[in-house]
């Protein structure tokens, strides 16, 4: 569980696309050892916040700190070197590369020093990937591609794992496998996870804390349990099937 030390803090961040403000004074923090979920409707700015943390687009106002260091102006590749790993929306694996080669790309920060050991951990989490080792990424099912995307991010030995819509377009059984894996990583390795999700029910059940993003602004925050029970959150995000 959380140590009470903020590993990531986003303070008053504003991000623009041209003249359009996509994020409006966003404040979010993720403590070491915590799973934090950011929920919101499509177009609320969730992915924009993820990308802004990674420096593309840049925050026009406000500050982003990681492990106490101001990373607001750092180039994306330097942010990655600080051990922030991302599994982006839409999975974005390398489709022509095999599963093995995709994992090697994830581990390249360390020049493959711990490759075998780290790959074994990924295979324990997602045994399916071991069976598909020589298969090209583009020929995998959607669920397997999502597992590979998370596996590739884990190969970088992240201090913070950022997941953007990991359940998008997947069958309920696969979603459960993915969420169970995230929970296990947090429980067994103390991995800090920042999870952006449209699947509010699954995300808030998994998370220690959550934030609700509406039109580029954080409108609510609280423990996962409290947000799940909140009538406004229920009405906006949980009615219609996710019970």
């Amino acid at each position: 569980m959380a140590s009470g030390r903020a590993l990531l803090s986003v303070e008053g961040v504003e991000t623009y696309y041209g003249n359009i403000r996509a994020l409006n004074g966003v404040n979010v923090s993720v403590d070491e050892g915590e799973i934090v979920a950011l929920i919101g409707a499509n177009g609320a700015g969730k992915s924009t916040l993820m990308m802004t943390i990674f420096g593309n687009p840049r925050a026009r106002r406000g500050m982003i700190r990681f492990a106490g260091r101001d990373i607001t102006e750092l180039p994306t590749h330097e942010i990655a070197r600080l051990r922030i790993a991302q599994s982006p929306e839409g999975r974005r694996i390398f489709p022509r590369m095999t599963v093995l080669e995709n994992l090697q790309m994830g581990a390249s920060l360390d020049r493959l020093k711990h490759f075998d050991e780290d790959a074994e951990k990924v295979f324990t989490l997602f045994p399916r990937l071991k069976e598909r080792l020589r298969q090209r990424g583009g020929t995998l099912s959607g669920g397997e591609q999502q597992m590979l995307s998370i596996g590739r991010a884990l190969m970088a030995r992240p201090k913070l794992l950022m997941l953007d819509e990991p359940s998008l377009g997947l069958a309920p059984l696969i979603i459960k496998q993915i969420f169970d894996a995230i929970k296990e990583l947090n429980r067994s390795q103390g991995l800090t996870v920042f999870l952006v999700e449209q699947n509010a029910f699954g995300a808030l059940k998994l998370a220690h804390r959550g934030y609700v993003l509406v039109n580029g602004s954080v409108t609510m925050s609280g423990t996962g349990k409290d947000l799940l029970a909140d009538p406004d959150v229920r009405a906006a995000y949980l009615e219609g099937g996710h019970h």
Side-chain angles (χ1 to χ4, degrees):
M1 183 59 191
S3 67
R5 280 212 310 267
L7 184 62
L8 174 73
S9 65
V10 174
E11 301 160 24
V13 161
E14 293 186 12
T15 301
Y16 288 74
Y17 292 115
N19 293 323
I20 298 162
R21 184 161 61 180
L23 296 177
N24 182 12
V26 169
N27 294 297
V28 165
S29 71
V30 182
D31 288 350
E32 228 168 282
E34 212 177 19
I35 300 175
V36 172
L38 179 73
I39 66 164
N42 213 349
K46 303 187 303 297
S47 291
T48 301
L49 178 58
M50 271 288 190
M51 295 187 319
T52 301
I53 291 166
F54 250 88
N56 185 19
R58 289 242 171 261
R60 204 177 282 184
R61 291 195 184 85
M63 185 187 278
I64 301 164
R65 291 182 215 260
F66 180 69
R69 177 180 175 182
D70 180 356
I71 63 168
T72 322
E73 298 294 329
L74 277 189
T76 297
H77 65 275
E78 286 188 28
I79 292 171
R81 278 200 197 119
L82 297 175
R83 305 280 180 192
I84 303 178
Q86 188 180 25
S87 169
E89 187 183 2
R91 308 194 249 285
R92 293 202 210 133
I93 55 158
F94 299 103
R96 286 164 177 261
M97 291 186 177
T98 63
V99 167
L100 179 65
E101 288 164 342
N102 267 277
L103 294 176
Q104 286 169 339
M105 291 297 284
S108 58
L109 274 180
D110 259 347
R111 298 193 179 82
L112 309 184
K113 215 166 34 186
H114 308 281
F115 184 80
D116 292 342
E117 177 193 341
D118 291 349
E120 270 317 308
K121 285 182 189 166
V122 170
F123 299 146
T124 304
L125 213 54
F126 301 124
R128 193 91 53 87
L129 292 180
K130 194 167 191 174
E131 296 161 22
R132 304 273 190 271
L133 205 54
R134 305 284 167 201
Q135 213 169 304
R136 281 187 179 196
T139 66
L140 302 176
S141 71
E144 289 163 352
Q145 288 187 15
Q146 186 60 68
M147 291 170 190
L148 180 54
S149 178
I150 295 172
R152 187 183 67 193
L154 291 172
M155 294 300 289
R157 299 195 150 200
K159 290 179 187 166
L160 173 66
L161 177 63
M162 302 210 304
L163 301 172
D164 194 355
E165 301 283 9
S167 78
L168 197 65
L170 300 182
L173 190 66
I174 304 290
I175 294 173
K176 186 183 182 314
Q177 276 183 329
I178 300 277
F179 280 2
D180 284 350
I182 296 166
K183 191 176 194 168
E184 177 56 27
L185 283 165
N186 175 261
R187 192 192 63 78
S188 64
Q189 296 174 31
L191 182 63
T192 308
V193 180
F194 185 40
L195 172 70
V196 163
E197 257 297 346
Q198 240 173 302
N199 176 352
F201 182 72
L204 292 176
K205 261 182 83 167
L206 182 68
H208 300 114
R209 288 188 308 114
Y211 292 89
V212 179
L213 197 66
V214 178
N215 297 330
S217 298
V218 171
T219 57
M220 294 176 78
S221 65
T223 66
K225 207 176 263 177
D226 288 349
L227 288 175
L228 270 177
D230 185 278
D232 293 339
V233 173
R234 293 191 74 85
Y237 304 105
L238 303 178
E239 302 307 327
H242 285 307
H243 287 291

